[in-house]
């Protein structure tokens, strides 16, 4: 009986910690890249990031489309099994390569004032506006 009471107290304690840690819900949202740390955005192309309701992510990486999965727990996010089409777009290929590499570095996510921000550790990598 003492074990059951202890277990129930532990569960209640963990739930209260989870509520103070917070979380982000991005399911069913679409975003356009507006700011990218250490990069200037190309004038003629955009990058987008779309979250489905079934833990899938997709978008346009300036030229090619991409997709994959995502796992989101609280503010921690991981993009998984990423893929992209391979059309040649000489004027934006460097941006595209860097963008997809940066998505792989993302460890956390925040939303604030209509913006979506992706971080690698404490470093802001990208900021998006709702599409």
């Amino acid at each position: 009986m003492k074990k059951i009471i202890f277990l129930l107290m532990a569960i209640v304690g963990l739930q209260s910690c989870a509520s103070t840690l917070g979380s982000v819900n991005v399911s069913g949202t679409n975003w356009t890249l507006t700011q990218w740390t250490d990069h200037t955005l190309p004038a003629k192309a955009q990058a987008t990031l779309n979250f489905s309701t079934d833990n899938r992510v997709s978008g346009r990486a300036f030229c090619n489309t991409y997709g994959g999965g995502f796992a989101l727990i609280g503010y921690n996010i991981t993009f998984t099994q990423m893929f992209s089409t391979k059309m040649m777009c000489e004027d934006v290929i460097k941006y595209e390569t860097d963008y997809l590499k940066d998505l792989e570095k993302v460890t956390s996510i925040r939303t604030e004032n209509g913006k979506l921000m992706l971080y690698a550790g404490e470093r802001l990598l990208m900021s998006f506006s709702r599409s």
Side-chain angles (χ1 to χ4, degrees):
M1 183 68 164
K2 288 181 183 180
K3 289 182 182 179
I4 293 173
I5 291 172
F6 177 75
L7 182 61
L8 289 173
M9 289 175 56
I11 291 171
V12 169
L14 288 174
Q15 286 178 335
S16 65
C17 288
S19 65
T20 59
L21 291 174
S23 64
V24 174
N25 182 7
V26 292
S27 293
T29 61
N30 301 314
W31 305 89
T32 301
L33 182 65
T34 55
Q35 189 175 12
W36 189 10
T37 303
D38 300 331
H39 291 82
T40 302
L41 295 174
K44 296 182 180 181
Q46 290 184 326
T48 61
L49 180 62
N50 308 311
F51 294 91
S52 72
T53 57
D54 62 350
N55 291 342
R56 304 293 302 159
V57 65
S58 64
R60 178 166 299 282
F62 300 106
C63 174
N64 288 289
T65 58
Y66 68 92
F70 73 94
L72 179 61
I73 299 172
Y75 292 107
N76 298 319
I77 190 166
T78 305
F79 295 106
T80 60
Q81 300 176 342
M82 298 298 283
F83 64 89
S84 71
T85 57
K86 301 293 183 196
M87 294 186 307
M88 184 53 147
C89 305
E90 289 182 24
D91 53 337
V92 294
I93 193 67
K94 174 70 173 133
Y95 295 101
E96 183 164 298
T97 302
D98 289 349
Y99 174 77
L100 293 172
K101 283 181 183 177
D102 277 358
L103 282 180
E104 292 176 5
K105 296 176 187 176
V106 171
T107 58
S108 64
I109 187 171
R110 299 279 190 277
T111 55
E112 185 177 305
N113 298 326
K115 298 278 185 192
L116 172 80
M117 292 151 302
L118 301 181
Y119 293 84
E122 297 296 316
R123 183 172 184 257
L124 176 64
L125 288 180
M126 302 175 206
S127 182
F128 296 77
S129 293
R130 273 197 191 262
S131 299

